[in-house]
Amino acid sequence: MMKNKSSVFKSFMFLLFLGCAFRLNSLDLSNVDTAISDIFINLSGASEGTTSFRSLLIPLGGRTESLGGAYTGLCNDISFFDFNPAASCTLENTELAFFHSSWIADSSIETLAFTTRFNNLGIGAKISCFYIPFTEYDVFGNRVASSYYSESTGTLNLSYIIHPGYTFKGLAIGLNAKAAYRAVPDYTDNDTGAILTNSGLNQSAIAVMADTGLLFQFNFAKFYYSRAANCKFGISATNLGIAFTGLAENIVIDDGLPSTIGIGLSYSPLSFLTFAWDFRQTFNFLDFTEYLMWYTGLGVQIKITDFFSVLGGFQLKGANPRFSLGSQFAVKTIIFNVNYTLDLTSSFTPVNRISLSAKLNLGDKGRKEKQKQVDELYKNGVECFANHQYQKAIEYWQEALKIDKYFDPASTGIKIAQEYNQMLEEYQEAFSSK
């Protein structure tokens, strides 16, 4: 009976938040858009919009957007791909996820991602598709062509933790290899109205690029017990590469990709509270003299219960500040994220700037069970040490290290026990010689 009540309560909380998010669509921002734009207009760079494959800058949606894009130094779930490729080797669980984000007007982006971990090695793959209807009308208002403009990106990820430990969690390094394709539909001749063969293909493009990143994990001012570090610091560079266009006739180098370099920091002073901050500088990889503006984001997550969290974020990006509100809701092994973003491009009728994600937790490959075994062996060793059974304590701690060679408390305990054991032997030897 209690289990059924819990399920009903979970469903009620989820629907309540979803209803609140859609209720926002009755608001009208038309009277304040101009005033806000005037405040932030100086944060727009002269070269904004000159890079290609702009869909690479559109957030996947869900949790990362709820946190205002402040994710480079957090990256504790499958959403890490576009922020820090070093994170896959630090994740607790294997995850499979689907993301949907309604962007401006009729445009959307869909993403399917997977990541898993083998001890210190993390791998992952992601495919995303941004699309928008492409409709052409003649001078009389008749529709003469209808299709979709799209940008699709495939990503392969590899990361590794160097010297992880109990106190210092190690240094994670990672790399994404990415390829993207821009599909432009064929359009018509203005004079004859006939569709020009390969006209779209000639403006389509192919891009190859890479992301790289570092992630440090450590403990600082931590007021709760957890194996996981409560502080993370990340550095990453994304979309480093080149694009080619003119695929139908003469292949040439396309405009530069929207490359970025960023830093991020996350901090959890309490087990239910997490803060995150990001700073990113966008640049043209082909022409560093073109000035592109920086942007920054702040985010906070509050864990209400084991299955429900509330998230909020603010991102300052050019003359278009964004406010986000989201939730995270768990049902057994599936985690849902719902987000609403409010900015100067948002239109409240019809609904847009709503993003959703569903993540399937496929387990941790027995890592938590191993941690329990290590903790139990360590506890037994501590009890033996307290009873002056130093050799037996050493044996317990050696067994713990066989399971987890990076468990620093066992290594430290062995050294101390060996010193005490040696002192005891020297004392007994000295006493017997008398």
Side-chain angles (χ1 to χ4, degrees):
M1 186 69 178
M2 289 298 293
K3 190 174 292 186
N4 291 336
K5 287 183 178 179
S6 177
S7 299
V8 171
F9 178 67
K10 290 181 180 181
S11 301
F12 172 75
M13 292 293 288
F14 177 70
L15 293 174
L16 177 63
F17 177 83
L18 191 60
C20 290
F22 280 86
R23 181 67 176 168
L24 289 172
N25 292 278
S26 63
L27 300 177
D28 182 6
L29 291 183
S30 58
N31 294 329
V32 297
D33 281 5
T34 303
I36 297 178
S37 295
D38 290 342
I39 295 173
F40 293 99
I41 193 64
N42 291 329
L43 293 177
S44 296
S47 300
E48 292 298 328
T50 58
T51 53
S52 61
F53 285 92
R54 301 289 293 177
S55 64
L56 294 170
L57 296 177
I58 297 176
L60 299 180
R63 187 162 176 255
T64 58
E65 194 168 3
S66 298
L67 292 168
Y71 211 64
T72 303
L74 182 57
C75 286
N76 54 2
D77 75 348
I78 198 170
S79 306
F80 72 89
F81 279 95
D82 291 344
F83 293 88
N84 195 335
S88 59
C89 61
T90 68
L91 302 184
E92 293 183 1
N93 300 308
T94 297
E95 295 183 19
L96 175 67
F98 171 76
F99 300 85
H100 165 78
S101 181
S102 295
W103 194 238
I104 303 169
D106 296 326
S107 64
S108 298
I109 184 167
E110 317 289 353
T111 302
L112 182 66
F114 172 80
T115 185
T116 190
R117 174 182 162 191
F118 303 93
N119 296 322
N120 296 343
L121 177 69
I123 60 173
K126 183 196 75 161
I127 184 167
S128 297
C129 181
F130 170 81
Y131 57 95
I132 186 170
F134 180 91
T135 304
E136 186 179 359
Y137 297 89
D138 61 20
V139 293
F140 301 105
N142 299 314
R143 187 172 67 178
V144 293
S146 179
S147 185
Y148 280 90
Y149 170 94
S150 65
E151 294 183 4
S152 301
T153 305
T155 304
L156 293 177
N157 169 261
L158 184 68
S159 66
Y160 189 80
I161 308 177
I162 300 173
H163 194 64
Y166 183 84
T167 305
F168 174 67
K169 303 300 180 178
L171 169 64
I173 58 175
L175 177 71
N176 285 339
K178 301 161 67 174
Y181 178 67
R182 180 177 72 222
V184 179
D186 288 342
Y187 49 87
T188 61
D189 181 86
N190 289 333
D191 297 325
T192 65
I195 295 178
L196 300 173
T197 304
N198 291 332
S199 56
L201 182 60
N202 206 41
Q203 294 187 26
S204 298
I206 295 175
V208 289
M209 68 206 97
D211 307 332
T212 185
L214 302 173
L215 187 63
F216 300 87
Q217 303 178 87
F218 56 95
N219 289 313
F220 174 77
K222 189 175 183 180
F223 303 105
Y224 63 100
Y225 173 76
S226 172
R227 281 283 195 101
N230 76 322
C231 285
K232 294 182 180 181
F233 176 73
I235 305 173
S236 67
T238 63
N239 306 326
L240 306 177
I242 191 170
F244 301 92
T245 189
L247 304 182
E249 298 175 359
N250 184 28
I251 296 178
V252 295
I253 296 176
D254 197 10
D255 293 333
L257 298 172
S259 305
T260 68
I261 185 168
I263 59 173
L265 179 68
S266 66
Y267 174 52
S268 299
L270 302 169
S271 60
F272 62 86
L273 182 63
T274 300
F275 299 99
W277 167 78
D278 249 39
F279 178 88
R280 284 200 168 269
Q281 175 66 59
T282 307
F283 61 93
N284 187 333
F285 192 65
L286 299 180
D287 187 356
F288 291 97
T289 62
E290 289 192 5
Y291 180 65
L292 298 171
M293 286 298 296
W294 53 267
Y295 58 96
T296 187
L298 295 169
V300 60
Q301 176 171 339
I302 302 173
K303 187 176 181 181
I304 307 298
T305 69
D306 289 339
F307 60 84
F308 184 76
S309 298
V310 175
L311 304 92
F314 170 73
Q315 185 180 77
L316 182 58
K317 190 172 185 178
N320 188 18
R322 301 174 183 173
F323 297 89
S324 301
L325 176 64
S327 72
Q328 181 166 287
F329 180 81
V331 180
K332 295 185 178 179
T333 60
I334 303 177
I335 300 173
F336 298 96
N337 290 99
V338 184
N339 173 78
Y340 185 83
T341 298
L342 176 65
D343 66 7
L344 300 186
T345 62
S346 297
S347 170
F348 289 93
T349 37
V351 175
N352 72 357
R353 299 313 303 274
I354 291 286
S355 65
L356 308 169
S357 71
K359 297 174 287 186
L360 179 60
N361 182 348
L362 298 176
D364 66 352
K365 298 184 177 179
R367 279 187 288 270
K368 284 187 178 179
E369 186 59 35
K370 288 182 179 180
Q371 287 182 1
K372 288 181 180 179
Q373 294 177 18
V374 169
D375 289 343
E376 186 64 27
L377 288 168
Y378 180 72
K379 177 184 175 182
N380 293 339
V382 170
E383 291 176 353
C384 290
F385 184 88
N387 294 324
H388 309 293
Q389 297 175 319
Y390 303 124
Q391 186 56 44
K392 195 162 185 63
I394 291 172
E395 292 173 2
Y396 275 120
W397 291 334
Q398 286 175 339
E399 286 298 315
L401 289 174
K402 287 180 182 179
I403 300 173
D404 183 2
K405 64 180 180 180
Y406 301 109
F407 189 66
D408 298 331
S411 300
T412 302
I414 289 174
K415 291 179 181 179
I416 296 173
Q418 286 174 340
E419 292 176 358
Y420 272 79
N421 208 23
Q422 183 177 354
M423 290 172 58
L424 181 61
E425 290 176 357
E426 291 175 353
Y427 174 77
Q428 291 175 344
E429 185 178 328
F431 184 78
S432 61
S433 63
K434 294 180 179 180

